[in-house]
């Protein structure tokens, strides 16, 4: 299973991300406002607080520590990143709401959340079984279509700093064994609090349950829910396998993630400061992807050693998931998608 898993889940993570240009969503450094001159001449250190749900020990946490180091070095100590893991600054939605007020905070979020914040087409990137491999993700974020979504998001007050971070293939951890898509029928599966991911699991036959990541362990332990989905590193990092000992490697979403901040705050920086922030964020993304590639199999091995039963579905069984997932892409009117969006995105990712 180790060889197959690494080939199917991790192939091209690093090389694909290395190919991502700095032009992907903000790689041009944006446009500095006149207020940025005051920020650079005041002599004060510019601080960005990054809040995230994951633990600092996960690959994403290690990638953030690298970003903080790189930004400190690039800016000569005039800019700093302060990290707040384990939801210390609040939930993802709370952080995004703070950004819309112009606060100097950032978090990781994905197209499913951006769909709820005024850019409905962005949600498709989190659709189930959209990508066949990681190369398609990296191709998509370099496309004109993706840049258009970034521009629309900025008009809503949110600025994407980096999109080349691999969060991992998302799998499903449950309290009872799941081998086929039919086994999901009626199971209450925790998903993040957004419409896209809720419907993405509902079409598979499960009953999606929106919930903050920090609440999932207790919900599984108390049998409020029957399972949760996330990349292996996050499932292990949150110790969810201790209360849900069955893992199916369905890879229902290849999850690249983005770092988002306030557009108003970003545009208050000088062009030089914007470039430092964006370029070091992209560089840290490459580092994150390397750490993820090196550690994901180790996390899986540890889960198995701690009593988790891992099931790797056959291609026929995966096709059963894919066939059911197609109903999701017929729901464009529900999500407010543009006409022909699925076909547009397929073309943009090179399919």
């Amino acid at each position: 299973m180790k060889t197959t898993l690494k080939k199917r889940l991790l192939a091209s993570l690093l090389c694909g991300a290395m190919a991502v240009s700095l032009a992907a969503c903000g790689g041009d450094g944006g446009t500095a406002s006149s207020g940025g001159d005051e920020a650079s001449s005041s002599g004060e250190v510019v601080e960005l607080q990054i809040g995230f749900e994951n633990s600092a020990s996960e690959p994403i946490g290690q990638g953030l520590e690298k970003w903080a180091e790189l930004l400190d070095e690039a800016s000569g100590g005039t800019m700093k990143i302060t990290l707040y893991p384990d939801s210390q600054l609040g939930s993802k939605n709370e952080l995004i709401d703070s950004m819309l007020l112009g606060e100097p905070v950032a978090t990781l979020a994905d197209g499913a959340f951006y769909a709820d914040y005024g850019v409905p087409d962005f949600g498709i990137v989190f659709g189930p079984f959209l990508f066949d491999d990681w190369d398609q993700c990296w191709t998509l974020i370099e496309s004109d279509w993706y840049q258009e979504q970034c521009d629309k998001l900025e008009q809503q007050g949110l600025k994407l700093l980096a999109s080349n971070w691999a969060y991992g293939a998302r799998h499903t951890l449950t309290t009872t064994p799941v081998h086929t898509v039919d086994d999901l029928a009626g199971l209450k599966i925790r998903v993040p609090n957004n419409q896209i991911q809720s419907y993405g699991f509902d079409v598979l036959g499960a009953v999606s349950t929106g919930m903050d990541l920090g609440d999932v362990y207790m919900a599984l332990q108390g049998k409020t829910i029957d399972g949760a989905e996330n990349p292996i590193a996050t499932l292990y990092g949150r110790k969810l396998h201790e209360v849900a000992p069955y893992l199916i490697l369905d890879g229902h979403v290849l999850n690249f993630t983005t770092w988002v901040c306030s557009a108003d705050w970003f545009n208050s920086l000088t062009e030089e400061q914007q470039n430092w922030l964006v370029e070091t964020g992209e560089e840290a993304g490459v580092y994150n992807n390397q750490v993820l590639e090196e550690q994901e199999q180790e996390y899986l091995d540890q889960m198995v050693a701690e009593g988790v039963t891992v099931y790797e579905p056959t291609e026929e069984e995966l096709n059963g998931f894919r066939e059911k997932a197609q109903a999701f892409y017929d729901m464009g009117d529900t999500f407010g998608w543009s006409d022909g969006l699925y076909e547009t995105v397929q073309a943009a990712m090179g399919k």
Side-chain angles (χ1 to χ4, degrees), residues 2 20 62 102 111 128 130 155 179 187 204 211 217 226 236 247 259 271 283 287 298 320:
K2 291 183 181 181
V20 176
Q62 295 176 56
L130 177 68
Q155 292 170 14
H179 294 171
L187 293 185
L204 299 178
M211 184 181 297
Y217 188 100
D226 304 305
Y236 184 80
L247 176 68
W259 293 98
E271 185 174 357
E283 185 177 349
Y287 176 81
E298 295 177 13

Side-chain angles (χ1 to χ4, degrees), residues 121-182:
D121 284 358
F122 228 146
I124 196 172
V125 302
F126 229 93
F129 299 98
L130 177 68
F131 300 110
D132 294 331
D133 54 50
W134 286 100
D135 284 340
Q136 291 178 356
C137 298
W138 310 137
T139 298
L140 182 65
I141 69 172
E142 291 184 315
S143 69
D144 291 341
W145 175 84
Y146 191 82
Q147 185 60 52
E148 290 172 2
Q149 308 314 304
C150 293
D151 293 342
K152 291 177 181 178
L153 187 65
E154 189 163 358
Q155 292 170 14
Q156 298 296 322
L158 298 173
K159 174 70 179 179
L160 292 193
L161 298 172
S163 296
N164 70 322
W165 290 56
Y167 194 66
R170 299 180 78 97
H171 305 293
T172 308
L173 190 71
T174 52
T175 56
T176 58
V178 172
H179 294 171
T180 69
V181 70
D182 293 336

Side-chain angles (χ1 to χ4, degrees), residues 301-317:
D301 291 343
Q302 290 171 354
M303 290 174 76
V304 171
E306 294 173 26
V308 175
T309 300
V310 177
Y311 185 74
E312 188 167 5
T314 66
E315 192 63 26
E316 181 180 357
E317 288 167 338

Side-chain angles (χ1 to χ4, degrees), residues 20-31 48 50 67 70-71 74-75 79 81 147 154 159-165 259-262 265-267 269-286:
V20 176
S21 72
L22 293 178
C25 276
D28 61 355
T31 302
L48 177 63
I50 299 184
W67 191 358
L70 292 170
L71 181 61
S75 69
M79 297 184 74
I81 287 173
Q147 185 60 52
E154 189 163 358
K159 174 70 179 179
L160 292 193
L161 298 172
S163 296
N164 70 322
W165 290 56
W259 293 98
V260 62
C261 71
S262 164
W265 176 81
F266 182 83
N267 288 326
L269 305 176
T270 66
E271 185 174 357
E272 184 177 42
Q273 289 170 329
Q274 291 174 352
N275 287 335
W276 286 335
L277 186 58
V278 168
E279 290 171 6
T280 56
E282 295 281 356
E283 185 177 349
V286 175

Side-chain angles (χ1 to χ4, degrees), residues 4-11 13 134 169 171 232 249 251 254 296:
T4 302
L5 177 66
K6 288 184 73 64
K7 180 177 179 182
R8 183 157 67 85
L9 304 182
L10 305 179
L13 269 178
W134 286 100
H171 305 293
I232 291 170
L249 300 175
L254 296 186
E296 193 162 45

Side-chain angles (χ1 to χ4, degrees), residues 3-51:
T3 302
T4 302
L5 177 66
K6 288 184 73 64
K7 180 177 179 182
R8 183 157 67 85
L9 304 182
L10 305 179
S12 79
L13 269 178
L14 179 58
C15 63
M18 288 290 286
V20 176
S21 72
L22 293 178
C25 276
D28 61 355
T31 302
S33 69
S34 59
D37 293 334
E38 297 177 4
S40 64
S41 61
S42 66
E44 296 181 359
V45 174
V46 175
E47 179 186 12
L48 177 63
Q49 299 178 330
I50 299 184

